[in-house]
Amino acid sequence: MSLSVRSVPTSPFEGQKPGTSGLRKRVSVFKQQHYTENFVQAIFTAMPAPGPQDATLVVGGDGRYYMKDVVQKIVRIGAANGIRKFIIGQDGILSTPAASALIRKRKADGGIILTASHNPGGPQNDFGIKYNTRNGGPAPESVTDAIYQATCSIAEYKEAELAQPVDLVAIGVQRFGNVEVEIVDSVADYVELTKEIFDFELIRKFRQQNPKFTLLFDALSGVTGPYGRRIFVDELGFPESSLEQCTPLEDFGGGHPDPNLTYAHKLVERVGKEQTSLGAASDGDGDRNMVLSHDWFVTPSDSVAVIAHYAECIPYFKRTGIHGLARSMPTSCAIDRVAAAKQLEVFEVPTGWKFFGNLMDAGRLSICGEESFGTGSDHIREKDGIWAIVAWLNIIAHVSQTTPGATVRSIMLDFYSIYGRNYFTRYDYEEVSSEGASQMMDYLRTLKAGVSYNGYEVVKVDDFEYTDPIDHSVSRNQGLRIIFKDTSRIIFRLSGTGSQGATVRIYIERYDDKQCDLDAQVALKPLVDIALKVSKLEEYTGRKEPTVIT
């Protein structure tokens, strides 16, 4: 039996252009009459061929405020547009990596993920909607552009009339006319995949042989709490005390679910106080991660390089081989050195996980990462916070077989002894004036090579441009790079992940193969001073201090 469908007249809203990770705005914006419905309808209008008719769609999100309401809207609008099956995480919950895995496992035609990632949640904070295609990855620019064009010309949206709302709690199948809604265990399929990737038996054995080894995982009250409990406690046998803030909350407990040294301060403090062997955190939707110990912070740039170096100890890569490595342009060049040593192809792409997807689908990329705490592989088409943390457990267990007592610090120092160290830091200036930030970038584009600053000679100044080697699409203006003769780099970029204003990010990198155990801020201070002086950041933005230093 077909559902009754009504057409609702509407008109376009300005600014519904998806960024690198979908559309993110304040909750109050999404709650405007027709606002959310317009954007959801635009997704179905722009859905790649063969379109929404008789399609299967995965739906879930990070548990933030307003998510469950929007799940119901998606079902009503999707059903009206021809979707015949919805696969939804229980309570609407699906981490972004789990959603990607589910799209791929079920061979769905795409998915809608409700998240603003690492941004705060709650009635006064942020919400987000993003569309993933049938490969499980974020929609490419051709699709997001089509979605935006649909939002600009929309005159109506379609909505099916359901007898009652979808029950998001009961696992199983519900039917509404000719539409099927399946509620699934949010965690089970992801845990099964993770067990296929890593050597859980080796990690369990290591834990039993090293009872003093401690783990502390902080989900920051985001979506990965249930995933962490199932993997770290139920599967690997770590005690319940290894978990911190592992109950998903609509407002993330009033915190900022961004796994860095500033916002994950509870974890950092506990790891130091309790002398924790491995501390780790994930973000609101589960695609980011942070790894540290009581005596070492692992930068995301170093983390992905170390995982690439030790990849052969991970069962998944033993089976599949390693086809190539990649990093986002601002990420340090540490992984390039691993690629060179292992004679692997390496790619430098713009920021945004979607740029890795084409390379993975073409069989040319296995492991990749972004300095913004994103790490992953070709097992799915999203970055994966839990994956990176379990990878570190696998590596520590592996190294300990030949080097008893191996620690995060000793593993990092051994890595530097082989490759040298790419010192790296990032300064974030959040919610600055968009106008001032744009003016600063325009000024930076006038800089020329051939000058020196405090002994650092500039050999290249450019705005990073990327030509995709698979589909030959071109992405321009992806970050202003100042490259020095000694290979040091200063990069300026405006981020598109905030919900208002602009975020200015400054990335600074210097290579050293002699002194590898300096504090990064000490090692990079001369370049930091150059970056702030050259950019006239305070003059253009009014900011004297960064919001976050990584």
Side-chain angles (χ1 to χ4, degrees):
M1 182 180 72
S2 297
L3 292 168
S4 176
V5 173
R6 68 187 183 112
S7 294
V8 181
T10 187
S11 56
F13 288 87
E14 288 187 9
Q16 287 195 324
K17 183 174 178 61
T20 57
S21 297
L23 182 69
R24 295 181 188 172
K25 302 287 183 183
R26 293 291 197 215
V27 168
S28 58
V29 174
F30 275 101
K31 278 193 164 186
Q32 295 175 89
Q33 186 178 27
H34 305 316
Y35 189 93
T36 296
E37 290 86 349
N38 277 22
F39 190 73
V40 172
Q41 176 62 61
I43 290 174
F44 293 122
T45 300
M47 195 169 169
Q53 192 63 43
D54 298 322
T56 297
L57 188 75
V58 169
V59 181
D62 60 12
R64 68 179 57 234
Y65 179 81
Y66 197 47
M67 181 197 73
K68 292 180 182 179
D69 293 329
V70 177
V71 170
Q72 302 289 349
K73 293 177 188 289
I74 290 169
V75 173
R76 293 196 298 269
I77 297 171
N81 280 271
I83 300 291
R84 286 296 167 262
K85 177 161 183 148
F86 295 88
I87 303 171
I88 304 175
Q90 187 179 31
D91 291 319
I93 291 285
L94 277 177
S95 74
T96 292
S100 179
L102 196 56
I103 291 169
R104 294 172 65 80
K105 180 176 181 178
R106 294 294 197 94
K107 296 179 169 56
D109 297 288
I112 296 179
I113 305 175
L114 304 175
T115 177
S117 190
H118 55 288
N119 293 4
Q124 308 305 315
N125 287 306
D126 295 351
F127 190 74
I129 303 175
K130 79 168 187 170
Y131 174 68
N132 281 30
T133 55
R134 58 176 53 88
N135 76 342
E141 288 184 11
S142 59
V143 176
T144 56
D145 286 346
I147 292 171
Y148 177 57
Q149 292 304 317
T151 70
C152 294
S153 59
I154 190 169
E156 65 177 21
Y157 60 85
K158 298 177 181 179
E159 192 169 52
E161 296 181 2
L162 307 185
Q164 67 274 336
V166 175
D167 181 349
L168 297 176
V169 177
I171 291 177
V173 173
Q174 303 164 49
R175 287 185 171 81
F176 300 86
N178 57 349
V179 175
E180 181 178 293
V181 177
E182 181 182 359
I183 306 300
V184 299
D185 184 316
S186 304
V187 179
D189 288 319
Y190 178 84
V191 172
E192 179 183 333
L193 175 62
T194 306
K195 290 170 68 176
E196 292 171 358
I197 294 171
F198 298 106
D199 193 339
F200 272 44
E201 188 56 41
L202 176 66
I203 298 170
R204 290 191 197 101
K205 182 179 178 182
F206 165 77
R207 188 190 61 76
Q208 292 164 359
Q209 293 176 343
N210 297 271
K212 292 184 178 180
F213 181 90
T214 52
L215 168 72
L216 183 59
F217 170 68
D218 190 344
L220 298 174
S221 299
V223 74
T224 54
Y227 298 83
R229 177 170 280 104
R230 192 83 63 92
I231 290 172
F232 300 128
V233 176
D234 297 347
E235 292 288 344
L236 295 176
F238 285 97
E240 185 76 18
S241 59
S242 300
L243 306 178
E244 172 87 16
Q245 300 187 105
C246 278
T247 299
L249 300 174
E250 287 191 336
D251 65 349
F252 306 112
H256 194 140
D258 193 353
N260 59 46
L261 296 173
T262 298
Y263 295 127
H265 59 89
K266 287 183 181 178
L267 172 72
V268 175
E269 290 163 7
R270 276 195 62 186
V271 165
K273 182 179 179 181
E274 298 172 19
Q275 298 285 288
T276 303
S277 306
L278 179 67
S282 189
D283 69 331
D285 70 322
D287 63 353
R288 298 187 181 205
N289 75 93
M290 178 173 73
V291 172
L292 72 161
S293 67
H294 65 89
D295 59 356
W296 198 270
F297 166 66
V298 183
T299 70
S301 298
D302 281 349
S303 182
V304 68
V306 169
I307 292 170
H309 174 69
Y310 286 105
E312 289 87 354
C313 79
I314 295 172
Y316 175 82
F317 297 115
K318 288 180 182 177
R319 294 193 303 270
T320 66
I322 304 170
H323 308 301
L325 307 176
R327 60 174 172 83
S328 65
M329 180 273 290
T331 301
S332 92
C333 299
I335 197 170
D336 301 47
R337 301 182 187 282
V338 177
K342 294 182 178 293
Q343 298 183 309
L344 294 169
E345 198 171 19
V346 64
F347 300 91
E348 180 181 45
V349 308
T351 297
W353 208 258
K354 60 191 175 187
F355 294 102
F356 295 125
N358 273 1
L359 296 166
M360 290 177 179
D361 289 344
R364 293 176 66 179
L365 175 59
S366 295
I367 299 171
C368 53
E370 297 180 328
E371 50 67 40
S372 52
F373 295 89
T375 321
S377 84
D378 60 350
H379 67 292
I380 57 173
R381 295 298 182 267
E382 290 276 7
K383 49 186 176 277
D384 191 344
I386 294 286
W387 177 92
I389 297 163
V390 181
W392 267 92
L393 283 171
N394 201 145
I395 290 166
I396 293 168
H398 168 76
V399 174
S400 294
Q401 292 180 112
T402 54
T403 309
T407 64
V408 170
R409 179 186 179 89
S410 69
I411 287 170
M412 289 309 311
L413 292 178
D414 284 348
F415 179 84
Y416 296 149
S417 72
I418 298 169
Y419 297 103
R421 182 174 180 181
N422 288 77
Y423 285 99
F424 181 88
T425 190
R426 187 181 91 186
Y427 280 43
D428 290 1
Y429 298 81
E430 297 176 355
E431 296 188 356
V432 304
S433 161
S434 296
E435 181 181 2
S438 295
Q439 289 173 349
M440 184 190 77
M441 293 299 291
D442 288 341
Y443 166 71
L444 286 166
R445 292 186 179 99
T446 68
L447 299 180
K448 304 294 182 183
V451 298
S452 293
Y453 301 101
N454 297 338
Y456 285 88
E457 182 182 345
V458 179
V459 295
K460 187 176 185 179
V461 179
D462 71 356
D463 217 336
F464 181 62
E465 180 177 301
Y466 175 70
T467 300
D468 191 299
I470 309 305
D471 64 16
H472 308 296
S473 61
V474 179
S475 299
R476 297 181 172 87
N477 302 320
Q478 295 296 315
L480 194 290
R481 303 187 297 180
I482 301 175
I483 302 174
F484 298 92
K485 188 175 182 180
D486 69 348
T487 73
S488 295
R489 301 189 302 163
I490 298 174
I491 297 160
F492 298 87
R493 181 175 162 271
L494 302 186
S495 171
T497 60
S499 64
Q500 64 180 25
T503 296
V504 175
R505 302 198 198 280
I506 306 176
Y507 313 83
I508 297 162
E509 175 184 7
R510 178 176 74 81
Y511 177 72
D512 195 323
D513 60 358
K514 296 179 175 62
Q515 287 187 296
C516 297
D517 59 351
L518 298 175
D519 179 276
Q521 296 306 315
V522 173
L524 294 169
K525 189 176 186 307
L527 285 165
V528 170
D529 291 343
I530 292 170
L532 297 177
K533 180 179 180 180
V534 167
S535 65
K536 301 183 179 179
L537 182 135
E538 184 178 347
E539 177 182 329
Y540 283 109
T541 70
R543 294 292 183 87
K544 292 185 178 181
E545 300 293 336
T547 312
V548 178
I549 297 176
T550 301

